[in-house]
Amino acid sequence: MAEPVLDIRNLSVNYLTPRGTVKALRRINLQVPSAKVVGLVGESGCGKSTLISTVIRLMAENARVAAGEIRFTGKDMQQLSPRDLRAIRGRDMSMVFQDPMTALNPVFTVGRQMADIQYRDAVSRKEKLKRASDMLSLVGIPDAVSRLDNYPHHFSGGMRQRITIAMALLVQPKLLIADEPTTALDATLEVQIIRLLKALQADFQCAILFISHHLNVIAELCDFVGVMYAGELVEKGSVRDIFHRPGHPYTRALLECDPSVIAEPTRFLPTIPGEIPSLIDLPEGCIFHDRCPRAAQVCKKTPPPEVSLAEHHTVACHCLEV
Ligand code: SF4
């Protein structure tokens, strides 16, 4: 694997709450190589958003990094001054959020917002607007020059998300973080946005950390995938490894619950029995043991080791059956 743009090592993050310490992330190891797309998948509450907010250091006030480090292009993100952080965010690292309406400022035109985001570049406003209209054309907004004068509410949901992607790429980031960017869109628009992201990533050669709970989206877009469960990265590998040779029982259960793989009409969609355990009072042993069909005695007492199944493919499980 090439030198990672983003290198997360042994990261643990807690939230301090009146009810106790929520151990939201534990011992996360994840690398995003240059010019590759890494997907993170898992149920709601598994820690995907906490991981992103820690990477970009926009954490909640009660969040604390308990251990580990995050290196972005070799720099330790936790040690950067606010000034150095500002220099990275919106330039080397940019974000696409789930809801484009909250990401765009409703009281300014799209052109103004796209010009303002280039504030670091010493070029004329005319040149910034030219770049903005070129980028809007690239993401498929017709009549881009005149649409620079429109406000966000003049665009449909799918177009607004195209605009946020255009803004994120306008600064030519080394890493684009996309936090469920298609969740608020219908299925047709979702496909369009994923294909657009894929084409743009090939053009711009930036790395992407892509968060989603839609497995088919992850399969279509990503080179590598990390599977999160209750604050832990339980399996990671290439898309082929995860979708064709999943090793962790949770990954298998997730794949079996994907509605797109159900061949026969059914009244009930498959689910994973049980619930995510309390992150305040963590169970002993494997975090998945009370929902796992393969749980053995050792799983209830001892946390599973990370086992390597192939190059880049690791699984945290006592009882592998691949
Ligand atoms: Fe299941 Fe045991 Fe593997 Fe955990 S370690 S996923 S309980 S088999």
Side-chain angles (χ1 to χ4, degrees):
M1 195 182 282
E3 183 68 21
V5 172
L6 182 70
D7 192 0
I8 301 170
R9 297 272 171 193
N10 200 31
L11 183 72
S12 296
V13 176
N14 296 336
Y15 290 106
L16 310 180
T17 75
R19 287 176 46 230
T21 300
V22 177
K23 299 172 190 81
L25 293 179
R26 298 174 310 284
R27 301 174 300 281
I28 301 290
N29 286 294
L30 183 72
Q31 287 73 44
V32 182
S34 172
K36 297 288 182 195
V37 186
V38 175
L40 267 186
V41 69
E43 290 169 281
S44 296
C46 70
K48 303 187 295 281
S49 296
T50 297
L51 183 60
I52 290 180
S53 61
T54 309
V55 167
I56 57 177
R57 267 185 61 188
L58 285 177
M59 302 159 72
E61 275 187 8
N62 62 339
R64 301 285 182 275
V65 174
E69 63 176 18
I70 299 169
R71 291 198 168 268
F72 175 67
T73 59
K75 300 185 189 88
D76 185 343
M77 290 293 285
Q78 301 304 311
Q79 302 303 326
L80 292 181
S81 66
R83 183 193 171 100
D84 291 340
L85 261 182
R86 277 198 302 277
I88 284 179
R89 290 194 205 120
R91 163 144 245 150
D92 293 333
M93 186 190 286
S94 59
M95 285 270 318
V96 175
F97 293 95
Q98 182 174 333
D99 182 357
M101 203 54 199
T102 54
L104 294 167
N105 190 326
V107 301
F108 293 125
T109 64
V110 163
R112 173 166 177 180
Q113 294 182 61
M114 292 187 76
D116 286 352
I117 204 170
Q118 303 171 67
Y119 71 95
R120 296 183 182 94
D121 297 344
V123 295
S124 67
R125 190 153 186 92
K126 189 175 168 191
E127 173 60 22
K128 288 176 183 174
L129 289 171
K130 162 92 173 51
R131 287 183 189 171
S133 64
D134 289 348
M135 188 58 83
L136 285 184
S137 298
L138 203 61
V139 299
I141 304 285
D143 196 14
V145 174
S146 68
R147 303 228 62 183
L148 288 175
D149 294 330
N150 288 161
Y151 290 84
H153 69 270
H154 290 133
F155 295 86
S156 66
M159 279 182 150
R160 283 197 288 266
Q161 198 57 297
R162 285 170 189 265
I163 292 167
T164 60
I165 291 170
M167 286 177 75
L169 289 174
L170 201 51
V171 294
Q172 304 203 350
K174 294 188 176 80
L175 175 67
L176 174 71
I177 300 176
D179 186 8
E180 309 222 19
T182 59
T183 302
L185 306 177
D186 65 43
T188 312
L189 286 174
E190 179 171 59
V191 172
Q192 289 176 10
I193 294 291
I194 291 306
R195 294 197 175 144
L196 172 68
L197 262 179
K198 203 169 179 175
L200 291 172
Q201 192 272 336
D203 279 356
F204 286 80
Q205 288 291 298
C206 63
I208 298 181
L209 178 58
F210 188 88
I211 317 298
S212 182
H213 55 259
H214 288 180
L215 291 166
N216 49 351
V217 168
I218 294 277
E220 171 138 3
L221 182 68
C222 299
D223 300 295
F224 299 99
V225 184
V227 181
M228 292 191 70
Y229 178 73
E232 295 180 11
L233 198 56
V234 294
E235 181 164 9
K236 61 185 175 182
S238 68
V239 163
R240 183 166 287 274
D241 289 333
I242 299 298
F243 284 86
H244 294 283
R245 295 181 287 276
H248 198 280
Y250 176 65
T251 311
R252 292 178 184 199
L254 262 190
L255 292 171
E256 283 160 14
C257 291
D258 183 1
S260 66
V261 302
I262 300 169
E264 301 290 326
T266 174
R267 285 170 62 88
F268 302 103
L269 291 172
T271 55
I272 304 173
E275 290 177 1
I276 291 181
S278 162
L279 299 185
I280 292 179
D281 189 16
L282 290 170
E284 265 188 272
C286 171
I287 190 72
F288 189 55
H289 81 250
D290 61 349
R291 302 174 79 182
C292 180
R294 295 181 46 76
Q297 212 47 40
V298 63
C299 307
K300 297 177 183 165
K301 290 283 171 212
T302 313
E306 193 175 77
V307 179
S308 176
L309 298 183
E311 193 186 11
H312 309 316
H313 189 189
T314 60
V315 182
C317 180
H318 285 296
C319 314
L320 287 170
E321 178 195 88
V322 184

